């Protein structure tokens, strides 16, 4: 979380008080997040993974958030940031045997190894990872994800939800996440469909229909990698009869496309390209 300033106060009325001035964020509402596009939810999860990696390798050592719940986070410019550090701790639990390193959660329990130094190995990191899994990843990542990415997303979710050799912040950040970024922007293998007629410098102002998820509340505005993916999406909607490529892109560079239910009224627009489905 970006810190802009702070003030330490020590008086008889208010002893040992630290006031901080931080950037402004929006409260995290899980129901609203589930109504956003998968690409936006992936961005939030990616920022959370970066936070997990920092907490595991901070200058103070491994930091755990004892109160790791959505209400402790805010959204700033599409990124997830932690705002309440009152319950942060750098203390790794002491132990004399593995049984002392028992971690209990509502749905799953773990037992970590006790090191020769008498500390539970990576307990802080494991606690953060599993809480990220049960409060964020399990809801935000799989829901309406692109089908081609689901096997890779399952690896990410399983890495945070299971105690295995890959269940650490390094693996989640540096192995699956860049792969998702790359694969998410790869070209669809489906070949171009001859059933669509290309109309350059043209736009369809009306003929909207609603779809989910959409970047536009009154129409069907989705992100695609290329024309082939737009054709695939239009073919999947029975009401789709045309689509319009815009010159706008999302944060990953994917192009925004309006999907239309008719092409009766086409207007000139130098910044757009329209594809109309050819009827037999």
């Amino acid at each position: 979380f970006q810190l802009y300033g702070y003030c330490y106060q020590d008086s008889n009325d208010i002893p040992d008080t630290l006031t901080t001035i931080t950037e402004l964020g929006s409260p995290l509402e899980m129901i609203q997040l589930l109504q956003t596009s998968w690409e936006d939810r992936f961005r939030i999860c990616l920022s959370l993974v970066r936070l997990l990696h920092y907490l595991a390798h901070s200058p103070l050592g491994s930091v755990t958030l004892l109160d790791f719940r959505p209400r402790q986070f805010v959204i700033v410019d599409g990124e997830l940031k932690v705002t309440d550090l009152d319950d942060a701790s750098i203390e790794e639990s002491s132990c004399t045997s593995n049984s002392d390193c028992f971690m209990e959660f509502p749905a799953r329990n773990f037992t970590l190894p006790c090191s020769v130094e008498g500390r539970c190995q990576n307990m802080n990191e494991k606690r953060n990872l599993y809480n990220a899994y049960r409060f964020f990843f399990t809801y935000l990542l799989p829901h309406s994800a692109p089908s081609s990415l689901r096997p890779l997303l399952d690896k990410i979710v399983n890495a945070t939800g299971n105690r295995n050799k890959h269940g650490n912040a390094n693996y989640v950040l540096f192995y699956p996440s860049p792969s998702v970024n790359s694969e998410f922007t790869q070209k669809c293998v489906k070949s171009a469909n001859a059933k669509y007629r290309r109309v350059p410098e043209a736009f369809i102002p009306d003929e909207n229909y609603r779809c989910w998820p959409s970047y536009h509340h009154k129409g069907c505005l989705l992100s695609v990698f290329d024309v082939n993916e737009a054709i695939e999406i239009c073919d999947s909607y029975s009401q789709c009869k045309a689509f319009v490529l815009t010159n706008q892109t999302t944060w990953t560079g994917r192009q925004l496309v309006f999907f239309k239910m008719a092409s009766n009224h086409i207007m000139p627009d130098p910044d757009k390209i329209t594809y109309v489905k050819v009827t037999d």
Side-chain angles (χ1 to χ4, degrees):
F1 208 62
Q2 183 67 44
L3 178 67
Y4 292 126
Y6 63 91
C7 177
Y8 176 75
Q9 182 176 357
D10 188 5
S11 65
N12 293 332
D13 297 331
I14 310 175
D16 300 329
T17 298
L18 180 67
T19 301
T20 61
I21 303 173
T22 62
E23 60 186 327
L24 182 64
S26 302
L28 191 151
E29 299 291 343
M30 191 60 68
I31 295 179
Q32 292 181 3
L33 285 183
L34 291 174
Q35 296 173 348
T36 61
S37 69
W38 182 86
E39 194 173 358
D40 288 341
R41 284 183 274 119
F42 171 67
R43 184 181 184 182
I44 290 172
C45 290
L46 189 58
S47 62
L48 177 56
V49 170
R50 294 192 183 107
L51 173 62
L52 293 172
H53 182 264
Y54 177 80
L55 293 175
H57 305 280
S58 80
L60 298 176
S62 182
V63 179
T64 187
L65 302 179
L66 299 176
D67 191 11
F68 198 116
R69 285 181 286 181
R71 68 182 184 185
Q72 307 292 359
F73 297 86
V74 295
I75 302 294
V76 180
D77 296 329
E79 303 273 339
L80 187 71
K81 298 194 176 185
V82 62
T83 183
D84 190 347
L85 296 175
D86 290 346
D87 296 301
S89 173
I90 60 173
E91 295 295 327
E92 294 277 14
S93 300
S94 58
C95 59
T96 57
S97 65
N98 291 350
S99 60
D100 296 328
C101 301
F102 182 72
M103 297 173 59
E104 185 174 7
F105 294 95
R108 189 171 297 172
N109 301 324
F110 303 112
T111 299
L112 301 178
C114 180
S115 69
V116 293
E117 294 83 11
R119 296 289 178 181
C120 296
Q121 292 184 14
N122 302 321
M123 178 170 277
N124 287 346
E125 183 178 6
K126 296 290 186 181
R127 182 182 289 112
N128 289 340
L129 281 170
Y130 188 74
N131 280 327
Y133 159 79
R134 70 191 186 105
F135 286 120
F136 292 96
F137 296 146
T138 190
Y139 297 109
L140 300 182
L141 276 181
H143 186 53
S144 72
S147 57
S148 61
L149 293 182
R150 285 171 188 167
L152 190 56
L153 293 174
D154 287 341
K155 288 184 180 181
I156 298 175
V157 174
N158 290 336
T160 56
N162 296 308
R163 190 189 68 82
N164 53 46
K165 64 180 180 180
H166 295 312
N168 57 65
N170 283 333
Y171 171 80
V172 177
L173 176 61
F174 293 112
Y175 176 65
S177 298
S179 299
V180 172
N181 266 328
S182 176
E183 189 169 350
F184 190 57
T185 56
Q186 282 180 3
K187 185 176 181 179
C188 296
V189 296
K190 186 174 180 178
S191 60
N193 197 317
K195 293 189 300 183
Y196 288 82
R197 175 171 56 90
R198 184 177 184 270
V199 185
E201 299 185 357
F203 178 64
I204 302 173
D206 302 312
E207 309 295 351
N208 291 313
Y209 67 90
R210 293 183 179 181
C211 67
W212 187 91
S214 173
Y215 288 92
H216 194 281
H217 68 283
K218 291 185 178 180
C220 186
L221 180 63
L222 304 174
S223 68
V224 304
F225 179 80
D226 63 0
V227 175
N228 290 334
E229 187 176 358
I231 289 174
E232 187 176 18
I233 292 174
C234 192
D235 285 344
S236 67
Y237 287 97
S238 60
Q239 63 266 55
C240 183
K241 304 301 180 185
F243 59 87
V244 180
L245 300 180
T246 73
N247 60 356
Q248 296 176 294
T249 59
T250 64
W251 68 279
T252 59
R254 287 167 61 87
Q255 194 169 12
L256 290 177
V257 175
F258 275 107
F259 293 88
K260 305 288 185 172
M261 62 182 179
S263 57
N264 299 323
H265 185 201
I266 299 179
M267 295 184 60
D269 190 322
D271 297 325
K272 297 179 177 63
I273 301 174
T274 293
Y275 283 78
V276 179
K277 184 178 289 188
V278 178
T279 59
D280 297 331

